Structure formats: C-alpha cells, structure tokens
Amino acid sequence: MTTPAVLTSSRLILRPWRDGDSEAFHALSQNPAVMEHLLPLPDRATSDAVIQRIGAHFDRHGFGFWAVERPGHSPFIGFVGLAHVTWEAPFAPAVEVGWRLDPAHWGQGLATEAAGLALAYGFGAAGLDEIVAFTVPENRRSRRVMERLGMERDAAGDFDHPRVPDGHRLKRHVLYRIGRNRWQDGIGIGVSGPG
C-alpha cells in the first residue's frame, strides 16, 4: 500500500485521514447546512463507513477524498478530492472532483483552492484526461465552485442519480466537465494548470 500524496497551498493541507478525523467528520455530517443537498449519514457507523470506503479508494487508485486541514485554524475542515464514479451513469467511466467543508470555512475560496489542488493532481500525477463534477440544480454554491474551476456545464449530460430514491428532491443532478487541455490552458478564476 502506497502512502497517499499530501497536497498543499498557502492556506490548506490535503492529507491522508487520521484516526481523530472520524469524530469531526461525523459532526460535519450532522450539520444541516452541509447536508442540505446530500443524502443523510444518519449515524456514526454510517459516517465511519464512508471513511473506510475513502481509504479503500486510496489503496486501489492512489488518490481519493483527502482530509482538509487549515493550519492555524482547524486540523479538519472537511474533505476534497477525486473519486471514480462506481455506479452506472451515461458519462461513466469517469472520475469526479468533490468537496464537503464545514460552513465556518465557506465563502473564503477554500473549496475552489482545495479542488484546484485535486485537479492539478488528477491531470498531473494521476494522468487523467477528464474530470467531472455534479450536484443538484439548486446547489448554487457548489455550481459556482465548478465554474470558478473552469468546468463547463454539460446540460445534455444532466442525469437522475441512481443512488437517490425515485421521487426524492435530490434525484436530478447537473453535470460539469473539464478536460486536461482546458485545465493546462489555465481556464478558471484564480486557478492555474500545471504549465
């Protein structure tokens, strides 16, 4: 098993998960603002199982959803990273970029900064050609992050998420994409590619 890379910026550290992160992640998963556009993680066992799946993804692929640390502020503010889409979707096989941060750290560009680190890793060390992102149409905050990263909406790719029950308000998702060339051209606000 290889040790996952640690990604850093001037404000953030994206690092492997530690034992002490599970309690903070469970608390984050109980925050109504964080979970407004996500299916609930009802108990500690469920949130711990998510961490186990993240660890297994790192073991298989060398990347995943990193724990995010904000030095001088908090040892754990959420997660950001990359994951293979493991369910049936018209755009799969694919790798998604995703994030989930404590609301105390919203509105400061941290999701964009952290996701930019993940994209740079994905198009660099991981050798990916394209990365996608998706959310429910009403999640304007996440959609703005996608747009700031230079991702483009693929309206023809919008889909009903197969892991969300039929009739549920979170069933419909919008799809965004970014390819390696667009990333390397430095498309996006405050985020540049590896060139």
Side-chain angles (χ1 to χ4, degrees), residues 30-153:
Q30 302 308 301
N31 187 311
V34 172
M35 302 304 291
E36 179 182 4
H37 303 297
L38 301 166
L39 291 177
L41 300 179
D43 52 38
R44 178 66 180 269
T46 308
S47 64
D48 285 352
V50 170
I51 296 172
Q52 293 298 318
R53 286 195 299 274
I54 290 171
H57 190 282
F58 271 108
D59 290 345
R60 281 194 306 272
H61 303 291
F63 61 81
F65 289 123
W66 285 270
V68 180
E69 183 173 334
R70 190 173 180 194
H73 292 268
S74 174
F76 180 88
I77 66 168
F79 69 69
V80 175
L82 305 167
H84 282 269
V85 174
T86 58
W87 30 268
E88 280 193 35
F91 55 88
V95 172
E96 68 159 313
V97 61
W99 46 86
R100 192 175 304 178
L101 298 181
D102 185 321
H105 302 274
W106 289 4
Q108 301 169 60
L110 298 174
T112 305
E113 187 173 320
L117 290 171
L119 289 177
Y121 185 88
F123 291 128
L128 301 174
D129 292 321
E130 182 183 66
I131 297 172
V132 302
F134 42 83
T135 188
V136 296
E138 297 77 20
N139 189 350
R140 293 300 314 161
R141 283 181 178 276
S142 279
R143 293 180 67 178
R144 282 194 296 270
V145 171
M146 295 169 195
E147 290 158 7
R148 284 194 293 269
L149 290 167
M151 305 188 88
E152 295 181 297
R153 169 88 186 276

